[in-house]
Every structure is written in structure tokens, then in C-alpha cells.
Amino acid sequence: MELDLLWLILAIAAGSYIIVYAFVRRVNEWYHVSKLGEKRHFLPPGDMGWPFLGNMPSFLRAYRSNNPETFIDSIVERYGRTGVYKTHLFGNPSIIVSSPQTCRRVLMDDEKFGLGYGKSMTRLAGKNTFVNIAKSEHRRLRKMMTSLMISHEALVMYIGNTEDVAIASLEEWAAASKDEPIEFFCETSKLSLKFIMRILFGSTSDSIFSSVEKHYIDVHDGVHSTAINLPGFAFHKALKARKMLVKILQKVVDERKAMKKNGEQTAKRGMIDLMMEIEDESGKKLQDEDIVDLLIVLLLGAHDGPTHTIMWATIYLYGHPQILQKAKEEQEEIIKTRPSSQKGLSLQEIKQMEYLSKVNIFFFMEQGVTIIIF
């Protein structure tokens, strides 16, 4: 008798939970969809998740697991392979585009699609960056940074800095793998961070690198979280980390200015040095606050892309030995024509790597997922 009563209570509790769960999520979806008026008829399949939280809990569980693609996989399993789904992420109603063809259309159609960012990104990026500035200032800053980043001096600087980091990291991996396997994604993530930090700062002390890395990770986690500014939440921790990061980067800017004033040179220049020198058409230079905000955004924007590109390109090359062999043959041909006195890669050699560059672009595009936030 007591066992039957226990099962009855459990059944009622489970049924009540399912009813409340379905009701609350349905009300949340009605609230967001009803505000669209006639546009609601054009929405793709999907759901808006819980009130305020949306689908962030399931997104973060997948993101922090060993299989982050399970978030998209679960949506595809529920709603079919439409390639477009509605959801609620980072505090905003959103559309997820998961097919490579549709991602290309969204990213390349400037007339129908514009840049947009979640609340976490806009708060953490800084007021003087591409994320938050007006159109006229956006064009000015974009023009300055584009001319800077593709200049001959910058390209040569990228090669030297990244080659040093790559060689050192590969040697570390070789030594570490003798004892036990390495976790490849974690190592490529560290490698990408080292790449961008070396490009941004050139030569600087190890303490600066470690300090920036420590606080950057907290800011990065905050960007991928809901904007809840309360103790215990990732976004709150990220705001505090950003303040520390600003202090560290401002100190580096001050040191470079003092060195330039005294006629000193760093062993290797970085993007920060070029940013301090560049001028727009009217002769206006970037202010310290602009430089610091841009450094933070470049750290955030230039980390995840290379990490996934390196990881997936390596995995696919390993799984497709015929493509790996062709890429290897191209590299060997380039080395054969290299002068015996040359040490390290040159910009001219990079330009000759036509096949390898196509391999990287192909694998990067094939992994594409775009989130459109309203």
C-alpha cells in the first residue's frame, strides 16, 4: 500500500513538472513571438527556452563538454535539417544558421544582414570599438585598422612572431607526448592565444603574458554567458577581469610610449606599436583608450577562429592522407627553392602556398555556424 502511494506521488510530481515545464516555455515563446506581429509567420522552427535564460543552460552545457556540437545536433534532431532555427541566446531572441551555404549568404550579404552583438559582448568589448561606435566613426576606425593590419610591415611581423610561437609549441608538444597523450583542442587553444598575444605585443615580459592570459580567459568566458552582473555569475567575473586587463594593457602602452620617447626599440615590434603610430586622413591618431579597447577586441576576435581552424584542418588532413600529401609536396617544393642563407619563412613563400590556403578556408567554412541576435 505504501509503495503504491509512493509511486502515485512520484507520478503526480513528474506529471506536474512536465506540465509546468511545457507551460512556462510556451508562455515565454508566445511573449517573444507575439511582439513580431506579422513577421512571426516567417520564423523557422525552434523554441525560445526558459524565460530570461532562454536556451543558454543547454548551450553552455554543450559548449563546456567534450562535444560542443551536441547543442546543434539536438536542435537538428528535434526540428529536422532545415539549416535555420529560432532560439534565445545571450539574453536575446536569435536565429541559428547551421548550413555552410546559408552561413556564406548571411556573412556576405551586407544589404540584408548587418553586424549585431549580444549584451555580454557589447559591455565587455569597450565603447571605443567596432561593436559600439557610430557608423561614421566605424568607417574611420575600420579604414585605419584595415590599412594597418594588411600593411607589408604588419604581414612580415605576423610571420616572424607566429613562427617563433609555433616552433616552440611543437617542441613542447613533442616532449610532453612522450609521457602521455596531449589534449589537442586545449593545446591549439593555448597556441592560438600565444599567436595573437605575440602579434599584438611583440616582445614583452613573461609576467605580462601570464597576467593578460589569466584575465583574458575570464573575459572570454563572460562573452559566452548571459549578462547577469551579480556575484557568482561568469559575466560579473568578466567585468572585473576586464578592469584588470585595461590596467595591464594601459601599462604596456605607457611603457612603449616611454621607450619611443627615449629612442629605444623593443626586440620585436607588435601590433600595439603600429596602433600607436597610425594616423587617419586628417592626421588624427588613436587615443590610449581606443588602443586598449581594440587590443581587448582583437584578443577576443582572433582567438576562437584560429583555434578551430587549426584543430579541424589538422584533423581533416590526418583523415584525408591524399590531401595531406599534396599539401606536403607543395611545402617541399617551396623549401627547395629557398636560398641556403635564409632562416625562417618569408612573406613571398606564404603567398606561394596556394593549395594549403585553400585547404584552410575550405575546412573553416565547412564548420560554419552563425548566430543572428536581434
Side-chain angles (χ1 to χ4, degrees), residues 80-239:
R81 292 187 174 277
T82 63
V84 185
Y85 311 92
K86 68 175 179 285
T87 185
H88 191 284
L89 295 172
F90 303 102
N92 296 275
S94 311
I95 297 294
I96 291 181
V97 180
S98 60
S99 68
Q101 295 80 8
T102 316
C103 283
R104 290 189 185 97
R105 180 183 173 187
V106 171
L107 295 173
M108 298 179 70
D109 191 340
D110 293 333
E111 293 184 6
K112 295 182 180 179
F113 300 96
L115 292 175
Y117 302 91
K119 294 178 182 178
S120 300
M121 184 62 179
T122 55
R123 290 282 302 278
L124 292 170
K127 64 180 182 179
N128 301 302
T129 60
F130 302 103
V131 177
N132 292 310
I133 56 179
K135 289 185 177 179
S136 58
E137 184 64 16
H138 190 283
R139 284 194 297 270
R140 169 185 169 270
L141 187 59
R142 186 176 67 234
K143 190 173 182 180
M144 290 178 68
M145 291 302 297
T146 301
S147 63
L148 182 153
M149 296 177 76
I150 63 173
S151 66
H152 183 270
E153 182 181 0
L155 294 175
V156 171
M157 183 183 69
Y158 300 157
I159 296 171
N161 285 326
T162 54
E163 186 175 16
D164 291 344
V165 172
I167 292 172
S169 296
L170 288 171
E171 290 175 349
E172 290 176 8
W173 296 356
S177 62
K178 291 179 180 179
D179 300 322
E180 57 184 21
I182 63 172
E183 191 170 345
F184 191 55
F185 178 76
C186 290
E187 294 302 326
T188 53
S189 179
K190 293 176 184 177
L191 176 63
S192 295
L193 186 56
K194 289 178 181 178
F195 278 152
I196 185 60
M197 288 176 67
R198 180 63 69 87
I199 288 171
L200 292 179
F201 305 117
S203 297
T204 191
S205 65
D206 292 337
S207 61
I208 295 294
F209 276 118
S210 59
S211 298
V212 169
E213 180 180 9
K214 173 186 175 183
H215 298 297
Y216 161 78
I217 292 172
D218 290 336
V219 174
H220 177 272
D221 291 343
V223 168
H224 295 87
S225 68
T226 305
I228 304 175
N229 190 14
L230 292 173
F233 288 88
F235 182 71
H236 178 77
K237 187 177 182 180
L239 288 174

Side-chain angles (χ1 to χ4, degrees), residues 26-91:
R26 178 67 67 178
V27 169
N28 183 52
E29 180 162 345
W30 172 84
Y31 169 75
H32 288 291
V33 173
S34 63
K35 294 192 295 183
L36 295 175
E38 294 182 357
K39 293 180 180 179
R40 66 180 181 271
H41 298 299
F42 302 98
L43 288 176
D47 74 271
M48 308 304 289
W50 295 94
F52 186 68
L53 294 176
N55 288 305
M56 283 302 291
S58 56
F59 175 83
L60 292 174
R61 279 198 302 272
Y63 183 80
R64 292 168 179 169
S65 71
N66 292 328
N67 299 295
E69 67 276 4
T70 55
F71 178 75
I72 297 295
D73 291 343
S74 65
I75 294 177
V76 172
E77 185 177 347
R78 290 171 63 188
Y79 301 106
R81 292 187 174 277
T82 63
V84 185
Y85 311 92
K86 68 175 179 285
T87 185
H88 191 284
L89 295 172
F90 303 102

